[in-house]
Amino acid sequence: MEVLVFLVPLALTLGLIGLMGFLWSLKNGQYDDLDGAGWRAIADDEPASDKPAP
């Protein structure tokens, strides 16, 4: 039971660090364009070339 003296503050500290990281990423615009990244991944920007690269 004495281990709870260490584990409870450790869990609260790690939870607070995770919350602060989430709020920081939210503030910096990480979640602004959720659809754009998916479309950019499947977009075909350049047509395929029939010639091999030199």
Side-chain angles (χ1 to χ4, degrees), residues 2 4 12 14 17-18 21 23 29 35-36 38 41-43 49-52:
E2 291 123 14
L4 290 178
L12 291 174
L14 289 175
I17 289 171
L23 292 175
D35 293 328
I42 61 172
S49 170
D50 290 337
K51 294 188 258 180

Side-chain angles (χ1 to χ4, degrees), residues 11-41:
L12 291 174
T13 302
L14 289 175
L16 184 63
I17 289 171
L19 179 64
M20 296 303 289
F22 171 72
L23 292 175
W24 174 80
S25 67
L26 192 63
K27 185 182 123 193
N28 285 327
Q30 291 288 322
Y31 303 107
D32 286 347
D33 185 19
L34 297 177
D35 293 328
W39 283 108
R40 281 192 299 273

